């Protein structure tokens, strides 16, 4: 069992920054990858970034490369998503998830509740 709780969302102006946190608890999760996904109203859930807890290998969607950074703080059992140079199209509910390292929601077994990110133009 793994529990995930996102936080750090909010309202930010175009070009601004936010840092999202995903706090993990439960059984050991060093075997998992942790991914970030987002979903805007009327749109399908899309991949943002993922990281392997064991190796720190990372992967990013083309739309966020160079702007977003995913990282792990082992001592806090927390995964972060640092988001810089935010654009209106980044507006969405952001979810963290634990599972198999990959780009598809179906690869992830455990999901957080989501946190809203709104970027004003």
């Amino acid at each position: 069992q793994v529990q995930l709780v996102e936080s750090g969302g909010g309202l930010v102006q175009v070009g601004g920054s936010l840092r999202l946190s995903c706090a993990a608890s439960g059984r050991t999760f060093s075997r998992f990858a942790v991914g970030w996904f987002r979903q805007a109203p009327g749109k399908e859930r899309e991949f943002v970034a993922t990281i392997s807890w064991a190796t720190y290998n990372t992967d990013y969607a083309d739309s966020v490369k160079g702007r977003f950074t995913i990282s792990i703080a082992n001592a806090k059992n927390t995964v972060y998503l640092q988001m810089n140079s935010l654009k209106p199209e980044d507006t969405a509910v952001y979810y963290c998830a634990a599972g198999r390292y990959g780009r598809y929601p179906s690869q992830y077994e455990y999901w957080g509740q989501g946190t809203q990110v709104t970027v004003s133009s």
Side-chain angles (χ1 to χ4, degrees), residues 20-98:
L20 305 184
S21 298
C22 176
S25 62
R27 297 185 66 182
T28 180
F29 31 78
S30 60
R31 62 192 293 185
F32 292 110
V34 176
W36 285 95
F37 296 81
R38 65 188 183 187
Q39 188 165 22
K43 301 294 183 75
E44 294 186 351
R45 188 165 299 187
E46 67 173 342
F47 169 76
V48 176
T50 191
I51 187 166
S52 167
W53 206 286
T55 67
Y56 301 134
N57 286 351
T58 60
D59 191 24
Y60 296 91
D62 288 343
S63 60
V64 307
K65 283 182 180 177
R67 300 190 298 121
F68 291 11
T69 303
I70 189 169
S71 62
I72 291 173
N74 278 320
K76 299 179 181 179
N77 293 329
T78 299
V79 175
Y80 299 104
L81 184 69
Q82 178 67 46
M83 306 186 295
N84 299 325
S85 302
L86 283 162
K87 305 174 181 179
E89 51 262 45
D90 295 318
T91 295
V93 177
Y94 283 70
Y95 300 88
C96 67

